[in-house]
């Protein structure tokens, strides 16, 4: 945490408040830039940032504690550790993101599995379909995007609303 403050204050002429604002602005920029790639994770990070900002404004804790919390938040953003997930998803970032966001998808008939193992299996099925059936360079090509939508449609219980919501998350993933 001292390294963050020292890096921002290399010339030594910034106040603690200016350093704190710099940290908050950098974290906020990262959240805004990457929020579409994993909406649930960045929503959680946004809440943590809001708590950090409130703490700064309330002056309820020392500057040192503020820097420690800012460091923890920055590490989470860098590691993109989006919470607990079943072991079968380890090493598959896209499937983990799908797992984390499936429960939040608005749907008409699609029901997200309540059991984490079943939800993980669905995330892996979607991931496999994307790797097997998505055409090369599909992003931005209307016909190829339709092929992707058609490939994931059956996995989303043939729910158009849920398929489109999931498609927006998938489209934001650099791994697909």
């Amino acid at each position: 945490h001292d390294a963050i403050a020292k890096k921002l204050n290399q010339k030594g002429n910034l106040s603690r408040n200016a350093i704190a604002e710099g940290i908050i602005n950098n974290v906020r920029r990262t959240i805004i830039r990457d929020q579409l790639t994993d909406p649930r994770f960045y929503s959680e990070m946004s809440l943590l940032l809001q708590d950090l900002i409130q703490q700064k404004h309330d002056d309820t804790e020392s500057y040192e504690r503020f820097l420690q919390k800012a460091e923890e938040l920055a590490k989470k953003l860098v590691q993109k550790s989006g919470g607990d997930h079943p072991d079968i998803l380890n090493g598959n970032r896209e499937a983990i993101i799908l797992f984390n966001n499936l429960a939040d998808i608005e749907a008409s008939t699609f029901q997200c599995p309540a059991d984490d193992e079943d939800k993980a299996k669905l995330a892996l099925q979607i991931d496999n379909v994307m790797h097997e059936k998505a055409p090369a360079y599909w992003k931005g090509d209307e016909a190829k995007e339709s092929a992707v939508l058609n490939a994931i449609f059956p996995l989303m219980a043939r729910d158009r609303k849920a398929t489109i919501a999931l498609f927006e998350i998938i489209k934001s993933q650099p791994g697909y």
Side-chain angles (χ1 to χ4, degrees), residues 23-72:
I23 292 169
I24 287 170
N25 288 336
N26 285 328
V27 170
R28 181 181 288 127
R29 183 177 57 235
T30 300
I31 290 171
I32 290 169
R33 182 190 65 219
D34 295 341
Q35 71 185 353
L36 291 178
T37 60
D38 190 350
R40 185 176 216 173
F41 172 74
Y42 286 102
S43 174
E44 291 171 7
M45 293 301 105
S46 183
L47 291 174
L48 290 174
L49 178 62
Q50 286 304 112
D51 290 345
L52 197 59
I53 291 169
Q54 188 62 45
Q55 172 195 317
K56 180 188 163 294
H57 290 301
D58 290 347
D59 271 340
T60 56
E61 294 187 39
S62 70
Y63 178 70
E64 184 71 20
R65 184 71 183 134
F66 170 83
L67 288 178
Q68 289 172 346
K69 285 189 173 187
E71 177 186 25
E72 291 170 16

Side-chain angles (χ1 to χ4, degrees), residues 107-152:
S108 300
T109 57
F110 170 74
Q111 292 292 316
C112 179
D115 179 58
D116 280 353
E117 292 298 322
D118 291 339
K119 189 166 53 164
K121 288 176 185 174
L122 177 58
L124 285 173
Q125 284 178 321
I126 296 166
D127 183 65
N128 286 336
V129 163
M130 287 304 300
H131 289 296
E132 293 173 6
K133 296 189 178 181
Y137 307 106
W138 63 271
K139 293 178 184 176
D141 183 318
E142 193 173 325
K144 291 180 180 181
E145 285 184 0
S146 292
V148 170
L149 282 164
N150 289 334
I152 61 175

